Amino acid sequence: MAIRTSTRSTTSSASRGRAGARGEAVADPVQQAWPRRQVRPLGADTLASVDAWWRAANYLSIGQIYLLDNPLLERPLERDDIKPRLLGHWGTTPGLNFIYAHLNRVIREREQSTIYIAGPGHGGPGMVANAYLDGTYSEIYSGIDQSTDGVRKLFRQFSFPGGIPSHAAPETPGSINEGGELGYSLSHAYGAAFDNPELLVATVIGDGEAETGPLATAWHSNKFLDPLHDGVVLPILHLNGYKIANPTVLARIPEDELLELMRGYGHTPHVVSGGFDGEDPALVHERMAQTLDMVLNEIAEIKRKAAEGDTTRPAWPMIILRTPKGWTCPAEIDGLPVENTWRAHQVPLANARDTEAHTRILEDWMRKYRPEELFDETGAPVELVTRLAPDGELRMSATPHANGGLLRRELALPDFRDYAVAVEEPGAVSGEATRTLGGWLADVIRDNPDNFRIFGPDETASNRLAPAVYEYSDKQWNAEVLPVDEHLARAGRIMEVLSEHQCQGWLEGYLLTGRHGLMNSYEAFIHIVDSMFNQHAKWLKVSRDIPWRRPVSSLNYLLSSHVWRQDHNGFSHQDPGFIDHVVNKKADVVRVYLPPDANTLLSTYDHCLRSVDYVNVVVAGKQPSPQWLDMDAAIAHCTRGLGIWEWAGTEVAGEQPDVVLGCAGDVPTLEVLAAASILRRELPGLKVRVVNVVDLMRLQDVREHPHGLSDREFDTIFTSDRPIVFAYHGYPWLIHRLTYRRAAHANLHVRGYKEEGTTTTPFDMVMLNDLDRYHLVIDVIDRVPGLASSQAGLRQRMQDARLHARQYTREHGEDLPEVTDWSWAGSQGHSQESATERTDDTGSDNV
Amino acid sequence: MAIRTSTRSTTSSASRGRAGARGEAVADPVQQAWPRRQVRPLGADTLASVDAWWRAANYLSIGQIYLLDNPLLERPLERDDIKPRLLGHWGTTPGLNFIYAHLNRVIREREQSTIYIAGPGHGGPGMVANAYLDGTYSEIYSGIDQSTDGVRKLFRQFSFPGGIPSHAAPETPGSINEGGELGYSLSHAYGAAFDNPELLVATVIGDGEAETGPLATAWHSNKFLDPLHDGVVLPILHLNGYKIANPTVLARIPEDELLELMRGYGHTPHVVSGGFDGEDPALVHERMAQTLDMVLNEIAEIKRKAAEGDTTRPAWPMIILRTPKGWTCPAEIDGLPVENTWRAHQVPLANARDTEAHTRILEDWMRKYRPEELFDETGAPVELVTRLAPDGELRMSATPHANGGLLRRELALPDFRDYAVAVEEPGAVSGEATRTLGGWLADVIRDNPDNFRIFGPDETASNRLAPAVYEYSDKQWNAEVLPVDEHLARAGRIMEVLSEHQCQGWLEGYLLTGRHGLMNSYEAFIHIVDSMFNQHAKWLKVSRDIPWRRPVSSLNYLLSSHVWRQDHNGFSHQDPGFIDHVVNKKADVVRVYLPPDANTLLSTYDHCLRSVDYVNVVVAGKQPSPQWLDMDAAIAHCTRGLGIWEWAGTEVAGEQPDVVLGCAGDVPTLEVLAAASILRRELPGLKVRVVNVVDLMRLQDVREHPHGLSDREFDTIFTSDRPIVFAYHGYPWLIHRLTYRRAAHANLHVRGYKEEGTTTTPFDMVMLNDLDRYHLVIDVIDRVPGLASSQAGLRQRMQDARLHARQYTREHGEDLPEVTDWSWAGSQGHSQESATERTDDTGSDNV
């Protein structure tokens, strides 16, 4: 890790001393962070530098795609100088380079802390080229210095075996956005901007990406940005007109319509168009430079007004940049138009090695950038180019915001033990796990007022984290507020928008720039962001192996309103499969927790908020349910990740149990304990062991997951030869998958969710899936040798109990009192506190 | 199935004889299908009917949420008349009912074939109420007739154990959109409109739903609609201001901004606002009625112009309807505002049974609708209400378009055998599977010009279905076209937009209204629609059990550009997990196919396009690769779903093999055959069996999937006790999961994708995951008893071969010729036709 550190901090404007340099009086920190500048022509010298940078970046981009050798064309290009497999994408690259060059100028002039989000991830060669030109690349990757040999290595490694990916990726300095799967640049940008009041987030949105759903709604993020305490997102919609093989929608609607769309999104659009039909780039440079200065002045004005107390939502400026796809590549190849068509999307000249003529086309194309003017005799970029780059951390490829671990501060976490539910004996009190967690999270918010946020798709209240979490913070909202509204404010720690994509994108951007947070969602609908999870997990997996990428906070999910309590919303709201999806990713980066009650949830979440570089999936109920463990026991249980609940079983010390009842998840745990109480009453001689699993990855083999148990440990808990009846929160397959190598696997019988359809009471729901207490007892009878014959009567009574329970719900519309009022303490002849205190399913938070 | 059939067809305007009724001269079919009407006040009678319908629908909606008995309030409401669990959502319902009532009027007057898409699925009680009022519900559900007892049953069943779901769902007549997971109404609407030139698709979009990504981009669907050959989507953005616990973005931006947004989306917006602060609904009825007439006249004008040859893209009208959330519910309850706040979202009065005062609030609320004016003494709706409803299939709840199986015509499928790749001996010729399929699909398009479409996120060319599929059709596109564009037209069978959400939503809408299609996508990015697949699979699962829902065409995926050939795009483009996601859904509705070559792909896809009520996932490569089976063998193989490839093995008849090499997927098949050829050469005495699997569900137990094998069948193919080395396309877990109950499972060793990171040549990619031929040979040596000791030399040579292959790629940037040029025929000493003809990875379609 060797990023050169600027003498000036990017986060403290007090130390900048910028006023003298600009010859203006600096009145206050806001004006210092967001200065105004006169808008005027570039002047010959600056124009020359901007253009030189652009040419150099373009040259280096093409070189990466095409060349193995002869990097600076010191001799005529030969066939063998060209890579045999031409990979990478030119189409979007000159536009990305153009924007980068212009941003460089204004960053230098304004000392503007800036991060660059490149939505068109295909522009990987461009992002690498810019990082190379400003020196960051050589600082980080010591083998690739600013010399002819360095350029050769830079070219060769690109999308080459053993080298770097063809897209912007974790390997790319300055990037927090992998553009492989399009759609998230603008959400990432807002995530980066939150709580970074002096940061400019320049965000290039490709016109292909703009067609995606997540991007289309991300424009509305500006209703959630606080001009005072957050940074500024500058969207640059880069219309080059084509995607892979088609024109793009936004490039092919009339400009008036496009401007209305942008104004409708709440922006003030500025159009820069040029480069078509061979227009001199110098003219386009002038237009872009003046627009950028105007836009930054508008931003400065908005920032000033906000500092002065103006609370109206600003119409933030944005730029529409129209340039030809593949700008500056050959206009025509083999008689077909290339520049400004979809043919320039990837490798405009696909067969550069095939014929001498094609090789000459490539050479002519590359020489058009006049490399001899851009690199000196050693191969280093000349001063004409480099003088444009800002210094140190002001370089966009070196900004610490794009390597968020550098800026990450540990959270101040209040002691979660202080929020414990008092549990004197197991199951004697009732509690709502997420509501308890909400109390702790409220104080996490209080103690971390500028680097922790909670994200949710309009479900924070429904998931019962609220109202507790509103204690020290409101929901951030910058659209109209009416008197009837509650808990809305221009600044707040809680972000709510009805888009899981937005929530996830904001959170990712927030984490990758060094902060902390969590996302809460209904369990079923978290599948909406399956693919975003994929990309983030892959990002983390790769980042862990890149020494200069510092650890970032884990991405924490809290999935509530889960499958077993979506009886009323029905089949469409039932899906526990996100866990299955997650465990396909590298074991290094995924963790899954199913705390059975409030205290285990507190302990689990404390752990999650302290962790780095993971995706933590926590599934927890919001409905009132029995509390099993006091805080000490909960901590011990969570530390082990799974364990035998001796108080629940009927084991005899020193003997093997007759049967193991396993459970993972709050509803399965309740049903297993109810089944255990029936067995204790009906078959007192049966030695039953109850095992609860919090950390699902403990079931896996230690060779497959770092949390996994050794076979010996596993056998000690589950036995190697006794029947195991396992009640699981999700699809039963997963438990088989996690345990298929265990000796006990042949004896393992799993009950879980089966996609059976809809029902409308909680117990009817578990019965429909054969996960209910009565059926678990039947499962035990059917599996413990001898019981099937000796306990036919009990088996029949269990069948009758199910039938009776079902009939009762059909008649009364609610579950049988003997089921809903059941408590562990009561079943043991103990006192029973609040098990009958049911508040479920009639309140307005049941949505 | 007993939908009353209208005497008038909804699809043939010729039979309508509408002109006389309206007293206008009808010039042509377009004017007949889309008539103009004078915009004028409703008149007292019509106004009374519209309002009566609305009141009746509101009354019936509230009754469903609250009442067990006393349905028409023939006596004072008592506590025990009220359900103990109050489920369902009132907030959006009065708006849905209002729109429905007004549409009824215009449908009657214009005989306008109309389908109603209710985006806010929470409005389930409203959709049921409307279907009950127009008689459809009683025709379909014979137990629920139009009587007091029928109303009682209607109320009781709603979100009640054994009853119906609380949302619009398959059980709801007239619905094709389950609104549980929000975001897809507008995409579904356009899918319904394609190729239905006389259909009006009235689409209510909730302002909560409007915040989702998929909905935000779906507005742009209007650039893909052909005014001449497609129907009309009328979006009605219903702003009631709140979602679960928050205001909504679009309700809280200035109206000018909202209008600009809608114009930016290409629409002509019309605003209807009313009902606030106790405004008389009669005034709002008048505004809505006049707006609806104006809008339908605008539509008629657009249709007329299109028929006359006007090809400009129209700015289709849309309606912004602002009404209070929970309109007409109590303004205040217990001192808190309810109507027009988020408190009206679900059950505005949550505790109606708790106190006498609350029970009175409910009774007063319900009596406000004056049920005695709406239902006669038998409990049937009075003529004042029913005269508003259209007849027969013009009733929106009875339209056959919402029960697409009624309209579905079988595809005319050209004989796929005619498109076969000639395979004289296995592996002797090379072919591109998807390109071959494209040739057949072109003729499917030719032979089915109005009920088959191909959808793709800008990847139809990249996946190499194009250019073949352009032979008889272009891509449908109604934005600007430039001279450089190719294959774009206002009407076409191929739909391309860079949004998997849009593609999936369009296809679902198209299928559910009785047509056929497929979606092609990069394998990795199909996860973007994981949750949409979930909802569609659940819809199919439930629909299969509803007698009046007729089978619809299967949803067919073609996943190409798959994990093993995303070496160049890298890690972000590698994800074979959609298969894992799919198999969590009910076995009844999911099918997964991995055809190993072009002929098996043809046979598989012919089967898929003939099937109904499934989701078929087909994964197939686009790159040139060896062709294994001639068409007869391919058909036989696909019919069995899996089979022993005797020509590839070295078995001795009547003896058990020493080892089984299994494979599923094109790249694993290639590597397994290459491994088999090495084993044949190096260990000629080893009895090797090669098994290829096309239909992945064959691996499962027949008790778990209808395609599953019995244990005996499985053992016959895989043996019960020999080592099996299985090379699988996806995550190796899945093969274990599918086979964990088999006797052979203990001997099963699976190689698959491991999330190991990036590399940039195809063979390096398979080596990174240990799925390569050399490693498969090592796996055999390590697992067949005796070989580890006797074949240490061969094992070392395999290790060396891998090392050499890796070194070669590092040096040359491409794979070793001996690997890429390998052919089965060559390895057997036969002739070799085109195995060396590689065109991969340098063409511009490599994206």
Side-chain angles (χ1 to χ4, degrees), chain A residues 650 659 661 674-686 688 776-777 780-781 787 794:
Chain A
T650 51
V659 64
L661 292 180
S677 75
I678 295 172
L679 290 170
R680 178 184 291 237
R681 185 182 71 223
E682 301 284 345
L683 299 171
L686 187 75
V688 176
L776 294 173
V777 171
V780 169
I781 293 172
L787 290 190
L794 176 60

Side-chain angles (χ1 to χ4, degrees), chain B residues 573-632:
Chain B
H573 285 52
Q574 296 166 0
D575 194 301
F578 188 65
I579 298 172
D580 303 71
H581 180 69
V582 161
V583 297
N584 271 337
K585 289 289 166 287
K586 284 307 272 190
D588 292 348
V589 298
V590 296
R591 302 287 182 270
V592 179
Y593 300 97
L594 294 157
D597 66 3
N599 289 340
T600 48
L601 176 61
L602 280 170
S603 174
T604 299
Y605 236 89
D606 179 78
H607 173 76
C608 292
L609 287 188
R610 293 177 191 278
S611 71
V612 294
D613 281 352
Y614 296 148
V615 176
N616 295 308
V617 179
V618 182
V619 185
K622 69 182 185 185
Q623 300 286 356
S625 63
Q627 301 299 302
W628 308 111
L629 303 183
D630 68 26
M631 188 46 91
D632 287 344

Side-chain angles (χ1 to χ4, degrees), chain B residues 657-668:
Chain B
D658 298 313
V659 64
V660 178
L661 292 180
C663 49
D666 57 357
V667 166

Side-chain angles (χ1 to χ4, degrees), chain B residues 644 656-657 689 710-720:
Chain B
I644 300 169
Q656 284 280 74
R689 173 177 293 178
S710 70
D711 280 341
R712 205 172 64 86
E713 291 170 313
F714 187 91
D715 292 350
T716 304
I717 292 169
F718 285 101
T719 81
S720 60

Side-chain angles (χ1 to χ4, degrees), chain B residues 76-90:
Chain B
L77 192 65
E78 291 173 20
R79 179 179 184 279
D80 287 347
D81 295 332
I82 302 169
K83 296 182 179 181
R85 281 163 54 91
L86 299 177
L87 307 173
H89 297 77
W90 167 251

Side-chain angles (χ1 to χ4, degrees), chain A residues 84-85 87 156 160-162 166-167 178 180-181 211-213 216-217 242-247 252-254 257 260-261 263-266 313 341-343 345-346 350 458 475 479-480 482 484-486 488 496-499 501 525 527-528 530-531 534-535 538 541-542 567-569 571-575 580-581 584-586 700 704 731 733 736-737 740 745 753-756 760-762 809-813 841-844 846-847, chain B residues 84-85 87 156 159-162 166-167 178 180-181 211-213 216-217 242-247 252-254 257 260-261 263-266 313 341-343 345-346 350 458 475 479-480 482 484-486 488 496-499 501 525 527-528 530-531 534-535 538 541-542 567-569 571-575 580-581 584-586 700 704 731 733 736-737 740 745 753-756 760-762 809-813 841-844 846-847:
Chain A
R85 280 163 55 91
L87 307 174
R156 186 180 173 89
F160 198 81
S166 62
H167 294 186
E178 158 96 54
E181 178 174 297
E211 291 181 15
T212 67
T217 199
Y242 299 90
K243 27 195 202 269
I244 297 178
N246 286 289
R252 294 294 181 89
I253 60 177
E257 211 168 297
E260 284 190 303
L261 184 65
R263 286 193 295 262
Y265 275 132
R313 174 168 57 88
T341 80
W342 74 93
R343 294 190 189 90
H345 173 72
Q346 193 196 9
D458 188 32
K475 292 174 282 192
E480 191 188 3
L482 300 180
V484 74
D485 293 327
E486 292 182 351
L488 297 180
E496 292 251 277
V497 63
L498 208 165
S499 165
H501 293 113
F525 301 141
H527 277 298
I528 290 171
D530 274 4
S531 61
N534 279 351
Q535 296 300 324
K538 283 172 182 274
K541 192 263 178 203
V542 174
D567 38 284
H568 58 292
N569 270 318
F571 196 40
S572 67
H573 284 54
Q574 296 166 359
D575 195 300
D580 303 70
H581 180 70
N584 272 338
K585 289 289 165 289
K586 283 309 271 190
Q700 218 166 355
E704 292 179 352
Y731 296 107
W733 302 105
H736 287 293
R737 164 176 167 170
Y740 77 98
H745 185 253
Y753 180 67
K754 296 196 293 185
E755 291 277 340
E756 281 301 343
T760 53
T761 73
T809 66
R810 295 291 177 282
E811 192 174 333
H812 298 271
D841 288 340
T842 50
S844 61
N846 167 36
V847 282
Chain B
R85 281 163 54 91
L87 307 173
R156 187 181 173 87
S159 208
F160 198 81
S166 63
H167 294 187
E178 158 96 54
E181 179 175 296
E211 290 180 15
T212 68
T217 199
Y242 299 91
K243 27 194 204 269
I244 297 179
N246 286 290
R252 295 294 182 87
I253 60 176
E257 210 168 297
E260 285 190 302
L261 184 64
R263 287 194 293 263
Y265 274 132
R313 173 168 59 86
T341 79
W342 74 93
R343 294 189 189 90
H345 174 72
Q346 193 196 9
D458 189 32
K475 292 174 282 192
E480 191 187 4
L482 299 179
V484 73
D485 293 326
E486 291 182 352
L488 297 180
E496 292 250 278
V497 62
L498 207 165
S499 165
H501 293 112
F525 301 142
H527 276 298
I528 290 170
D530 273 3
S531 61
N534 278 352
Q535 296 300 324
K538 283 173 181 275
K541 191 262 178 205
V542 174
D567 38 283
H568 58 291
N569 269 318
F571 195 39
S572 67
H573 285 52
Q574 296 166 0
D575 194 301
D580 303 71
H581 180 69
N584 271 337
K585 289 289 166 287
K586 284 307 272 190
Q700 219 166 355
E704 292 178 352
Y731 296 107
W733 303 104
H736 288 293
R737 164 178 165 169
Y740 76 97
H745 185 253
Y753 180 67
K754 296 194 294 182
E755 291 277 340
E756 282 300 345
T760 51
T761 72
T809 67
R810 295 290 178 285
E811 192 175 333
H812 297 271
D841 288 340
T842 49
S844 61
N846 167 36
V847 280

